[in-house]
Amino acid sequence: MNAAAEPEASLQREWWLRALAIFRTPRTVFVGLRDDSPDAAEARQEPVLAIILMAGCAGVLSTSLAGRLLDDPDFGGAAAVLAWAFIGGGIYGVVVYWLGALMVHAFTRGFGGSSSYRQARHIVGFAAAPLALSLLLVWPVRLAVYGGNLFRSGGSDSGAGDKIFEGLVIASFAWTLALVVIGVATVSGLSWPRRR
């Protein structure tokens, strides 16, 4: 490895570790986003891409459409659901990433904050980590418990157990929103008014 590539690889490794640190010390991760240099932005692109693709898959699995996919006998079964979740989730994740970042950037600018559109995208990307985590922790257990009934109307995927799973997914969306707020405040320097 040449001398120029070594610091770049080190910076990329640092951002992969920060992607995991978002769950424990989110402010530290968002402070790192203040460095908007091309090298820093490039180093965090892969972790952000991985997060938004996984979060997008979790997002489409949470839709009401997912709960009816296997009602159509021509849909193609479990392999088709997997392909739908991956392709649809990827598209969903990318669209939410770009449009969500546009909203975050406009909000930040509207309230006098200072951050770039790229920083807003990376805030949204790292903030989506709880959704990505739900894809890895909640959805496999939910699939093990309910199987294909998750993708059919009616069936055994109702009741108290399913409400718990839905609550966990909703909590991951709420956590994501909270991380966006923390990210905006940390990166752009916005402070919330304090009561006297």
Side-chain angles (χ1 to χ4, degrees), residues 3 19 42 54 56 90 105 112 129 139 141 153 167 189 193:
E42 185 176 329
M54 290 191 306
H105 184 64
W139 283 101
V141 175
S153 299

Side-chain angles (χ1 to χ4, degrees), residues 1 14 54 64 71-73 81 87 117 127 135 155-156 170 181 188:
M1 185 179 279
E14 180 183 332
M54 290 191 306
S64 61
D71 287 349
D72 180 3
V81 170
I87 294 168
Y117 179 53
L135 182 68
S156 67
I170 290 169
V181 171
S188 69

Side-chain angles (χ1 to χ4, degrees), residues 51-63 66 84-86 88-90 92-93 128-139 142 169 172-173:
I51 291 168
I52 64 166
L53 291 179
M54 290 191 306
C57 290
V60 297
L61 288 173
S62 302
T63 63
W84 174 83
F86 182 74
Y92 179 77
L131 291 172
L133 186 65
S134 77
L135 182 68
L136 299 175
L137 298 180
V138 175
W139 283 101
R142 198 173 189 184
V169 171
S172 68
F173 277 97

